[in-house]
Amino acid sequence: MQTIHIDVAVIGAGTAGLAAYRAAKAGGASAIVIEGGPYGTTCARVGCMPSKLLIAAAEAAHHAGHTDKFGVHVDGRIRIDGREVMARVRRERDRFVGFVVKGVDGIPEQDKLRGYARFIDNTTLQVDEHTLVQAKRVVIATGSAPVIPPPFKAFGDRLIVNDDVFDWEILPQSVAVFGPGVIGLELGQALSRLGVRVKVFGARGGVGPLSDPAVRDYARQALGEEFYLDPDAKVLEMGQAEGKAQIRFVSLDGEEETEQFDYVLAATGRAPNVRGLGLENTSLPLDQAGVPLFDAQTLQCGDAPVFIAGDANNILPLLHEAADEGRTAGDNAASYPQVKAGLRRSTIAVVFSEPQMMMVGSRFADLPQDGFVVGEASFEDQGRSRVMGINKGLLHVYADKGSGRFLGAEMIGPRAENLAHLLAWSHQQGLTIAQMLQMPFYHPVIEEGLRTALRDAQAGLDAIALA
């Protein structure tokens, strides 16, 4: 077994790990990145990019079948070739992965180590059976993996996770989706639009990441008009029959039903990949899930020379957050024992359903009661939205009662991904509602709906000031 002495050892070559490695090197430290699995980030291989490829195909099919309202008639039926759809998804997915792998190829060979790392102590790692890494500091950037609740094992080989979808060569006829979160809604709606019979089951009433009851209820109704969606499903029995997954449940109309599906997609969340790291051999304090306790600003684990970044810490499992955290962890690993808070941008989240969903800044559920006002805008009669035939949506913006500062927003509606960026920039700059209303709004654009919500919030603030 060989021994390597290094300043910084980074475990994981995903988005956070690669950012940490580059930051550590830029900080003047010697560094090595350790990876046991295939190169290529979660985003490129099984996350954001392949899912958007499937969604793009679904949108093309949906829009082609809904042109009559414009007086444009597509003669004959729309034919969806599932084999061609999935061939493009895999081809373009592999192209995106190739870009990441090409970036890894640019790392000097002596800075890359293949194998699975396990802690011997706080800063000593054993990589498989071939290498002992004696590091001065360590960055954990091992990503996350889908969580499969034990009862789902009853589906046997009919059970899949989102990673499996993108390796399909053809589209199945039917899929049951458990979990109406971001992954479940995006893939469920996409598959439905591509002709797959889909039912989406949830628990406790959640729809995507939304916490505002009014916006969440609107989302439930809007999406439920297109495909079966029960966010608070009562599932009575899970199993297999006749080579398919079988589910006995209480339907939305209160009747007990039994249906069979080609596959069951478990979109029930993801958990940090920390099992098998040997963290029990360290002095790091761990939470109930076995994840090291850490400072959310510096990403340092306790007072040890160990840092944790990206999906492995499960703060905000998003690509741009992973990149920022990787840089913070790498910077601090290089400069240890001097550490400092890293960049924390305003929170922004988008669900690429149709209508889209977004959240910016503070969630409704996290705001202090009676400390804010709500500005509302419906997109059902919003000018440009009606022109384009995408006039479904509800936007809520939140403003601090005392200062008028913009606190956050939740929305389902058209072009939510674009509005989310405008609002996130405003939130990060600490703007008030009045200052946001001083910004230019063109006509006719969907952004005028945002102005309506801001005006409504300002009216609420003015009423408080006059009271």
Side-chain angles (χ1 to χ4, degrees):
M1 182 176 292
Q2 67 170 332
T3 299
I4 294 175
H5 296 273
I6 203 79
D7 290 336
V8 178
V10 180
I11 310 174
T15 299
L18 292 175
Y21 162 79
R22 293 181 179 118
K25 294 286 283 189
S30 61
I32 193 168
V33 62
I34 306 166
E35 177 58 73
Y39 287 129
T41 63
T42 296
C43 172
R45 191 175 291 280
V46 296
C48 356
M49 301 313 292
S51 67
K52 302 312 167 287
L53 287 163
L54 192 70
I55 290 169
E59 288 178 344
H62 180 78
H63 295 158
H66 291 78
T67 61
D68 289 359
K69 59 189 170 189
F70 300 106
V72 178
H73 304 282
V74 179
D75 295 330
R77 73 180 184 89
I78 296 167
R79 184 176 64 87
I80 298 171
D81 188 316
R83 190 174 295 276
E84 290 183 14
V85 168
M86 295 312 301
R88 180 176 187 264
V89 168
R90 296 195 313 276
R91 182 174 64 250
E92 291 297 313
R93 181 271 313 271
D94 292 344
R95 182 169 173 267
F96 288 121
V97 171
F99 293 147
V100 178
V101 173
K102 185 177 180 180
V104 175
D105 288 342
I107 297 174
E109 286 301 317
Q110 65 269 23
D111 287 357
K112 293 182 289 189
L113 183 59
R114 297 292 288 166
Y116 291 95
R118 180 177 175 82
F119 282 89
I120 302 301
D121 57 39
N122 282 1
T123 56
T124 304
L125 304 171
Q126 181 175 325
V127 181
D128 289 344
E129 300 301 322
H130 56 72
T131 305
L132 200 65
V133 179
Q134 296 280 1
K136 295 178 181 177
R137 283 86 69 186
V138 177
V139 175
I140 301 170
T142 46
S144 64
V147 173
I148 301 178
F152 283 49
K153 299 297 177 66
F155 294 122
D157 63 357
R158 298 294 89 194
L159 179 66
I160 61 171
V161 294
N162 63 289
D163 303 30
D164 302 315
V165 170
F166 308 117
D167 285 327
W168 282 343
E169 292 189 359
I170 60 173
L171 290 170
Q173 292 184 334
S174 57
V175 174
V177 179
F178 279 86
V182 176
I183 294 172
L185 290 179
E186 288 186 350
L187 295 184
Q189 184 180 47
L191 291 172
S192 177
R193 288 184 165 188
L194 289 168
V196 179
R197 176 171 61 87
V198 171
K199 275 186 165 59
V200 179
F201 302 97
R204 298 179 295 279
V207 180
L210 301 173
S211 72
D212 186 312
V215 181
R216 186 177 59 226
D217 290 346
Y218 192 104
R220 176 177 181 169
Q221 180 177 346
L223 295 174
E225 290 173 0
E226 185 174 332
F227 58 93
Y228 185 96
L229 171 60
D230 187 351
D232 193 17
K234 185 175 183 181
V235 176
L236 305 175
E237 187 177 6
M238 301 175 175
Q240 280 185 295
E242 302 172 355
K244 295 191 175 186
Q246 183 165 289
I247 303 171
R248 186 164 62 91
F249 61 98
V250 177
S251 67
L252 289 170
D253 60 11
E255 298 295 322
E256 185 177 312
E257 296 184 13
T258 300
E259 288 195 35
Q260 294 180 346
F261 299 88
D262 292 330
Y263 293 103
V264 170
L265 171 59
T268 47
R270 298 177 70 89
N273 281 328
V274 294
R275 294 182 65 182
L277 282 180
L279 291 170
E280 66 276 8
N281 298 325
T282 71
S283 64
L284 304 178
L286 310 178
D287 65 16
Q288 291 182 341
V291 179
L293 298 175
F294 63 97
D295 184 295
Q297 301 304 314
T298 66
L299 304 180
Q300 183 179 6
C301 300
D303 57 2
V306 179
F307 303 84
I308 186 166
D311 291 9
N313 68 36
N314 208 30
I315 295 181
L316 290 167
L318 301 167
L319 180 137
H320 65 278
E321 297 286 351
D324 286 346
E325 288 189 356
R327 284 190 289 272
T328 297
D331 286 340
N332 284 333
S335 64
Y336 181 86
Q338 281 74 44
V339 299
K340 61 182 180 180
L343 173 64
R344 281 289 179 197
R345 307 174 202 258
S346 287
T347 304
I348 178 173
V350 176
V351 182
F352 291 88
S353 54
E354 191 174 347
Q356 293 180 340
M357 301 180 208
M358 68 86 167
M359 290 175 51
V360 165
S362 296
R363 303 186 315 149
F364 176 90
D366 297 332
L367 292 169
Q369 288 188 347
D370 301 323
F372 65 100
V373 299
V374 179
E376 179 176 296
S378 167
F379 286 82
E380 294 183 359
D381 290 320
Q382 198 274 324
R384 183 68 184 280
S385 300
R386 287 197 68 87
V387 166
M388 300 172 70
I390 52 175
N391 53 309
K392 281 186 179 180
L394 180 67
L395 166 64
H396 278 185
V397 298
Y398 316 121
D400 182 78
K401 278 186 176 181
S403 65
R405 185 171 61 87
F406 170 61
L407 299 176
E410 295 192 27
M411 174 188 180
I412 178 169
R415 306 286 174 83
E417 61 180 295
N418 304 119
L419 296 182
H421 282 82
L422 294 179
L423 289 171
W425 297 344
S426 299
H427 183 270
Q428 189 156 313
Q429 294 178 76
L431 298 183
T432 65
I433 299 296
Q435 289 171 326
M436 294 167 72
L437 283 168
Q438 292 174 358
M439 301 298 177
F441 288 85
Y442 202 73
H443 174 77
V445 293
I446 289 175
E447 283 75 7
E448 288 176 295
L450 167 57
R451 183 176 60 187
T452 298
L454 293 174
R455 284 174 171 171
D456 189 40
Q458 188 61 52
L461 293 170
D462 292 343
I464 292 172
L466 293 172

